[in-house]
Amino acid sequence: MPYPKFDRSKLSILPLDERVSDIDLSVMVDPEAPPPPFENPKLDAVADAVVRSKKLGASSILMYGAHVIRSGCGPWMIKLAENGLVTHFATNGAGSIHDFEFSLKGYTCESVAKYISEGQFGLWKETGIINDILRDGVRDGLGAGEAIGRYIWENDLPYKKYSVLGNAYRLGIPATVHIGVGNDIIHEHPNCDGAVLGEASYTDFLVYANSIAGLEHGTFLNFGSAVAGPEVYLKCLAMARNVARREGRSIYDITTAVFDLLDIEDDDYSVTPPKSDPRYYFRPWKTILARTTADGGKSFYVRGTHRETLPNLAKKIFDRYGL
């Protein structure tokens, strides 16, 4: 006999205008202005790799956690895509939620401490629209990222120019959302359908795998995604290499770069740390920097905040193109 389930019809869902939001559009970093001061010699090598990938027609993938959007880096990411220097964006569910809220309201992010105490965390009407957007997207055969991007762009949301998903849709490049069921605030809502989440995200998984299949001579950049980024990349690369091997091809000449806050600058991060080292459990190191480049690729680790690292990397890439 099935166990009893929580009755979502009893929930109180409030308008976003009643929420105290922590971040607004003032956080956006202008791609036409000089980036925040930051120096790291590895940025030059990563920038060269991105330029090489473009010249060779290989994938240039940017995987990012939600904090990248919250840090205001969207305009720089959009400019990279507009110039063909990123061919695929990928994020987790939270990344798409912040993108949508920025596009709709010009603000995002709530105090978890405040609203979990009140029992109101995540329960905001307009944010729940995403569940309906995903349902419509699945009906049309779209993945989560394209469905949300389409809604943002075609419904002319007030701040769509800041939306990574919306502009990816405009530019016709894939932007995929890799959802963990129960991870995101929209999963609390009465209109959330687990089957829709699964189908939308699995479609994006296959779209992502198709882009990963183009990573020979390509570049994989991971900004602050500690779990979804390395784990989804790992499975997609296994699939891509399986097919490539059967077809007499290889996908080993990959340049990977991880941008995060863990202090591993002085280590040889091309080698997985031992299990006795707590840093072994930092997935971006063992998966992105070590294991998936062990057969001929290159890897780089850059420590810094997203507002420092992403704009400065983008600026170096643009300089090489005279942009």
Side-chain angles (χ1 to χ4, degrees):
M1 186 173 182
Y3 292 115
K5 294 186 290 186
F6 186 88
D7 184 358
R8 294 175 295 173
S9 69
K10 296 180 179 180
L11 290 168
S12 173
I13 315 292
L14 300 181
L16 268 175
D17 288 342
E18 294 186 21
R19 185 182 79 185
V20 178
S21 296
D22 296 338
I23 299 172
D24 61 26
L25 294 175
S26 65
V27 76
M28 294 296 174
V29 188
D30 183 1
E32 303 307 319
F38 181 79
E39 291 293 336
N40 188 307
K42 297 170 189 170
L43 291 180
D44 290 299
V46 179
D48 289 339
V50 172
V51 170
R52 176 174 175 258
S53 296
K54 178 174 171 57
K55 289 180 178 178
L56 296 176
S59 294
S60 183
I61 298 171
L62 198 162
M63 178 77 186
Y64 58 96
H67 279 80
V68 178
I69 298 299
R70 292 169 50 172
S71 298
C73 294
W76 284 92
M77 297 162 69
I78 293 164
K79 187 173 178 180
L80 283 166
E82 286 175 336
N83 289 280
L85 296 160
V86 166
T87 61
H88 189 127
F89 290 117
T91 191
N92 55 15
S96 69
I97 291 168
H98 289 306
D99 191 293
F100 177 78
E101 288 189 349
F102 263 140
S103 304
L104 180 65
K105 290 289 189 178
Y107 54 72
T108 191
C109 194
E110 62 190 299
S111 168
V112 178
K114 170 180 171 59
Y115 288 113
I116 196 62
S117 293
E118 299 176 7
Q120 199 61 50
F121 173 65
L123 295 167
W124 311 105
K125 289 182 181 178
E126 294 88 341
T127 308
I129 294 170
I130 296 173
N131 287 318
D132 298 325
I133 293 169
L134 296 179
R135 184 177 293 105
D136 291 343
V138 164
R139 178 199 64 205
D140 296 337
L142 305 184
E146 187 174 3
I148 298 169
R150 177 180 72 172
Y151 183 92
I152 290 168
W153 201 260
E154 293 191 352
N155 286 278
D156 199 23
L157 295 194
Y159 307 103
K160 68 179 184 180
K161 74 176 185 178
Y162 298 106
S163 168
V164 173
L165 299 182
N167 280 278
Y169 176 79
R170 169 179 68 89
L171 295 167
I173 70 166
T176 51
V177 178
H178 303 277
I179 297 167
V181 175
N183 285 358
D184 303 318
I185 59 174
I186 62 171
H187 305 167
E188 304 172 45
H189 289 238
N191 66 336
C192 183
D193 184 328
V196 167
L197 294 179
E199 186 166 352
S201 191
Y202 195 72
T203 294
D204 272 358
F205 174 73
L206 297 179
V207 171
Y208 193 46
N210 192 61
S211 291
I212 295 288
L215 271 180
E216 179 70 0
H217 314 309
T219 310
F220 181 81
L221 311 175
N222 183 38
F223 284 86
S225 182
V227 178
E231 291 302 325
V232 179
Y233 164 65
L234 181 68
K235 281 71 173 183
C236 289
L237 184 59
M239 295 162 66
R241 282 179 171 170
N242 181 287
V243 172
R245 184 175 182 179
R246 295 183 64 189
E247 295 177 349
R249 299 180 291 106
S250 65
I251 309 175
Y252 296 117
D253 180 19
I254 306 171
T255 299
T256 67
V258 172
F259 301 81
D260 217 306
L261 294 174
L262 186 68
D263 188 7
I264 59 173
E265 289 282 2
D266 297 327
D267 293 272
D268 180 7
Y269 44 75
S270 65
V271 177
T272 304
K275 290 185 179 181
S276 58
D277 186 334
R279 295 175 300 176
Y280 171 84
Y281 300 97
F282 180 59
R283 288 175 174 84
W285 184 348
K286 65 183 178 183
T287 298
I288 299 172
L289 298 176
R291 290 174 175 170
T292 60
T293 58
D295 299 289
K298 296 179 181 179
S299 61
F300 299 91
Y301 181 78
V302 179
R303 183 175 182 268
T305 67
H306 302 315
R307 284 177 70 87
E308 294 170 330
T309 58
L310 198 152
N312 278 281
L313 173 62
K315 179 66 164 56
K316 288 181 179 293
I317 295 169
F318 296 149
D319 286 348
R320 284 154 171 75
Y321 272 89
L323 297 172

